């Protein structure tokens, strides 16, 4: 069975700085719920096609590819039947070019193993999994994955026993065939350990490894950014979270980051230090190693917010998050990169208002001028998918810049003003092609 998403539709958002021309009115399912939806993560291949990794506990991890406007049948990834699949503890996925890496926990006979599996051909086939270490040697949890610019995978994982849990950095120097012993990335930060159940956020930029994580110092749980040029000496350490949230318990929520064209790192995270849990945005300048400030995503009182996902392209940045209001709903904000982070503030578009129950764990990606978004519908047991084209403020963006729009017709064939909302219209182009669209306020 294939799930099609090729009908182009225009939906105008309420953003002042950016709009999205959605490819369809309502979200679609990536696959049937028999394949599960746990730990769903979104990738975009080098040709701009969305790919989804998702799992079903006690059954396995699936890879869903797409081509020419349709999702294929989910294919099992050969991780073995003992893979642990949990929203809170992985697996975690990263890609670089045609390489797709997955880091995960395997649990057998009460022993956990940290493992890595990789495809080097865009998910067509998978290499044998690599054993990194087992819990017989070292306790660990929540492994998170990224790649350096040379195609070498690296992992940040919680390592150790409470209350002495550290951020362990583990890297490969041979493309993922083997991994070096772990290094403590915050050994120079003095007292305080990592927050034991908040995922880390590793990334690589301009020949430097970065890790953004929630620290725990006597129940003060705030976010830090640390970095290293060699993966051994973590000589840059900065507190980027002024909220100073005191909480006797782990929030189970990590950060999401994207890198802007000018080298700034934008990070979104949740904190409940001031009011109810809210999303905050921080900007860090990599060129001078400076914190440029942190602001609230919503300046007004809002229901609980959590699990932000950030993505930046060459011209725009998007943030998706979940918000507790009549269930749990997915929100989205998009802004031009020349107005970050202020352009994202107080600009929330609700995407799941017509889907009952809990809509959780969004994942957003921007590729070129295309925006892709998935999330989990817990009531349905499916992964929801949306995509669209990011436009300027006039809300009209030609999907093919080589075509010239000649006229717009309504369903009766009458020429109309293309800005008229709430109707089906036909776009006629100079190359003879016709696109059927639906324009909504």
């Amino acid at each position: 069975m294939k799930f099609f998403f090729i009908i182009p539709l225009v939906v105008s958002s309420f953003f002042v700085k950016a709009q999205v021309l959605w490819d369809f009115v309502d979200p679609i399912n990536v696959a049937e719920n028999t394949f599960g939806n746990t730990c769903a993560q979104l990738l975009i291949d080098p040709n701009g096609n969305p790919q989804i990794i998702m799992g079903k506990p006690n059954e396995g991890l699936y890879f869903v590819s797409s081509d020419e406007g349709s999702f294929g049948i989910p294919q099992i990834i050969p991780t073995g039947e003992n893979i642990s699949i949990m929203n809170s503890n992985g697996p975690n996925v990263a890609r670089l070019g045609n390489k797709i890496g997955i880091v995960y926990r395997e649990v057998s006979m009460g022993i956990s193993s940290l493992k890595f599996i990789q495809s080097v051909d865009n998910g067509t086939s998978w290499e044998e999994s690599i054993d990194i270490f087992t819990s017989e040697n070292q306790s660990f949890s929540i492994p998170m994955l990224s790649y350096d610019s040379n195609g070498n995978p690296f992992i940040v994982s919680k390592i150790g026993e409470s209350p002495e849990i550290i951020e362990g950095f583990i890297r490969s120097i041979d493309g993922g065939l083997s991994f070096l012993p772990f290094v403590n990335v915050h050994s120079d930060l003095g007292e305080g350990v990592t927050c034991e159940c908040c995922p880390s956020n590793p990334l690589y930029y301009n020949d430097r490894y970065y890790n953004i994580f929630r620290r725990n110092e006597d129940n003060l749980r705030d976010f830090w950014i640390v970095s290293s040029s060699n993966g051994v000496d973590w000589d840059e350490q900065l507190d980027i979270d002024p909220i100073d949230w005191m909480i006797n318990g782990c929030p189970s929520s990590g950060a999401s980051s994207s890198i802007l064209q000018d080298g700034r790192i934008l990070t979104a995270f949740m904190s409940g230090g001031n009011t109810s849990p809210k999303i905050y945005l921080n900007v860090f300048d990599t060129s001078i190693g400076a914190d440029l400030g942190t602001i609230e995503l919503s300046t007004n009182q809002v229901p609980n917010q959590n699990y932000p996902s950030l993505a930046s392209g060459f011209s725009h940045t998007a943030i998706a998050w979940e918000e507790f209001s009549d269930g749990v709903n997915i929100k989205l904000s998009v802004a031009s990169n020349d107005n970050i982070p202020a352009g994202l503030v107080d600009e929330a578009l609700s995407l799941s208002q017509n889907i009952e129950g809990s809509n959780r764990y969004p994942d957003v990606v921007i590729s070129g001028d295309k925006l892709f978004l998935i999330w989990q519908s817990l009531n349905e047991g499916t992964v929801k998918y949306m995509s669209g084209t990011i436009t300027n403020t006039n809300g009209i963006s030609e999907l093919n810049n080589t075509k010239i729009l000649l006229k717009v017709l309504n369903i009766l064939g009458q020429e109309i003003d293309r800005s008229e909302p709430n109707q089906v219209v036909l776009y006629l182009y100079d190359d003879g092609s016709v696109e059927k669209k639906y324009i909504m306020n």
Side-chain angles (χ1 to χ4, degrees):
M1 179 180 294
K2 292 189 175 182
F3 298 82
F4 292 90
F5 51 94
I6 58 175
I7 301 173
L9 298 161
V10 182
V11 178
S12 173
S13 76
F14 297 101
F15 304 132
V16 174
K17 300 299 181 182
Q19 294 178 316
V20 179
L21 282 72
W22 296 109
D23 294 329
F24 30 81
V25 174
D26 296 315
I28 66 169
N29 292 332
V30 171
E32 297 175 349
N33 60 9
T34 53
F35 296 99
N37 68 350
T38 305
C39 227
Q41 293 163 77
L42 173 62
L43 304 168
I44 306 299
D45 74 13
N47 295 318
N49 297 309
Q51 300 171 325
I52 314 294
I53 302 247
M54 61 191 192
K56 190 170 186 178
N58 303 314
E59 185 168 312
L61 195 65
Y62 292 96
F63 176 76
V64 189
S65 62
S66 68
D67 183 48
E68 296 183 356
S70 65
F71 283 117
I73 298 173
Q75 303 295 314
I76 196 75
I77 299 172
T79 57
E81 62 183 13
N82 295 317
I83 181 174
S84 175
I85 301 175
M86 304 169 60
N87 284 318
S88 61
N89 206 351
N92 186 246
V93 181
R95 82 169 302 138
L96 182 72
N98 281 320
K99 277 189 173 183
I100 303 173
I102 304 173
V103 62
Y104 63 98
R105 295 168 61 244
E106 182 181 83
V107 182
S108 178
M109 305 295 290
I111 297 174
S112 297
S113 300
L114 179 59
K115 309 197 81 169
F116 172 79
I117 191 170
Q118 183 173 243
S119 171
V120 298
D121 56 10
N122 197 33
T124 302
S125 63
W126 297 87
E127 300 176 341
E128 290 189 13
S129 59
I130 303 295
D131 289 313
I132 300 175
F133 58 71
T134 71
S135 60
E136 288 183 307
N137 303 317
Q138 189 65 63
S139 297
F140 71 94
S141 64
I142 321 180
M144 303 296 288
L145 179 66
S146 190
Y147 278 95
D148 67 20
S149 58
N150 294 317
N152 293 312
F154 61 95
I155 301 162
V156 176
S157 178
K158 314 297 179 182
I159 294 180
E161 300 280 353
S162 181
E164 299 298 329
I165 301 176
I166 66 167
E167 293 280 298
F169 174 82
I170 309 160
R171 67 184 176 121
S172 173
I173 57 174
D174 55 15
L177 299 177
S178 63
F179 288 82
L180 300 175
F182 70 83
V183 173
N184 183 352
V185 307
H186 59 82
S187 58
D188 296 330
L189 286 180
E191 295 183 0
V193 294
T194 184
C195 197
E196 62 274 19
C197 58
C198 292
S200 305
N201 183 25
L203 60 153
Y204 188 84
Y205 175 72
N206 199 23
D207 297 326
R208 204 164 177 89
Y209 301 97
Y210 290 87
N211 183 42
I212 301 167
F213 69 102
R214 195 191 297 268
R215 191 181 177 200
N216 175 14
E217 185 175 1
D218 295 328
N219 288 325
L220 192 159
R221 300 178 188 255
D222 55 0
F223 278 93
W224 285 66
I225 183 168
V226 296
S227 71
S228 169
S229 61
N230 58 17
V232 178
D233 303 309
W234 294 79
D235 51 6
E236 185 174 67
Q237 306 138 2
L238 192 64
D239 184 350
I240 62 170
D241 179 359
I243 314 304
D244 291 341
W245 189 14
M246 295 293 299
I247 177 174
N248 185 17
C250 184
S252 298
S253 181
S256 177
S257 299
S258 63
I259 302 173
L260 301 172
Q261 293 290 309
D262 59 8
R264 291 177 296 161
I265 296 177
L266 180 66
T267 297
F269 59 86
M270 180 276 290
S271 177
N274 288 334
T275 57
S276 60
K278 297 180 70 173
I279 304 298
Y280 294 83
L281 300 169
N282 173 266
V283 180
F284 176 82
D285 189 335
T286 61
S287 64
I288 57 176
D291 177 7
L292 301 184
T294 299
I295 63 173
E296 296 179 339
L297 178 63
S298 302
T299 58
N300 300 318
Q301 185 64 33
V302 294
N304 291 1
Q305 299 174 329
N306 208 345
Y307 300 112
S309 176
L310 268 174
S312 293
F314 61 86
S315 62
H316 288 81
T317 290
I319 179 171
W321 69 97
E322 63 179 52
E323 191 167 295
F324 289 72
S325 177
D326 296 325
V328 186
N329 287 304
I330 301 301
K331 303 286 187 175
L332 177 72
S333 180
V334 184
S336 171
N337 286 344
D338 60 11
N339 192 23
I340 296 297
L344 297 171
V345 174
D346 292 334
E347 296 289 348
L349 176 68
S350 182
L351 299 180
S352 61
Q353 67 272 17
N354 295 325
I355 303 173
E356 294 183 357
S358 295
N359 297 274
R360 306 201 61 188
Y361 308 115
D363 193 7
V364 64
V365 177
I366 292 177
S367 178
D369 64 351
K370 291 289 290 186
L371 183 146
F372 305 85
L373 177 67
I374 64 170
W375 69 85
Q376 298 176 37
S377 170
L378 300 192
N379 283 34
E380 297 181 10
T382 58
V383 176
K384 297 294 183 180
Y385 170 84
M386 294 189 76
S387 65
T389 302
I390 302 173
T391 78
N392 55 20
T393 55
N394 66 18
I396 300 296
S397 174
E398 307 308 336
L399 301 181
N400 185 341
N401 290 331
T402 64
K403 299 190 296 185
I404 298 175
L405 180 65
L406 298 179
K407 62 179 64 176
V408 180
L409 307 179
N410 64 17
I411 200 66
L412 300 176
Q414 300 166 328
E415 188 169 356
I416 59 170
D417 178 7
R418 61 177 170 175
S419 64
E420 293 179 13
N422 299 319
Q423 61 179 318
V424 176
V425 297
L426 302 175
Y427 277 30
L428 278 63
Y429 294 94
D430 65 338
D431 64 354
S433 63
V434 179
E435 292 180 355
K436 184 179 180 181
K437 300 176 182 285
Y438 182 76
I439 302 179
M440 180 185 294
N441 269 337

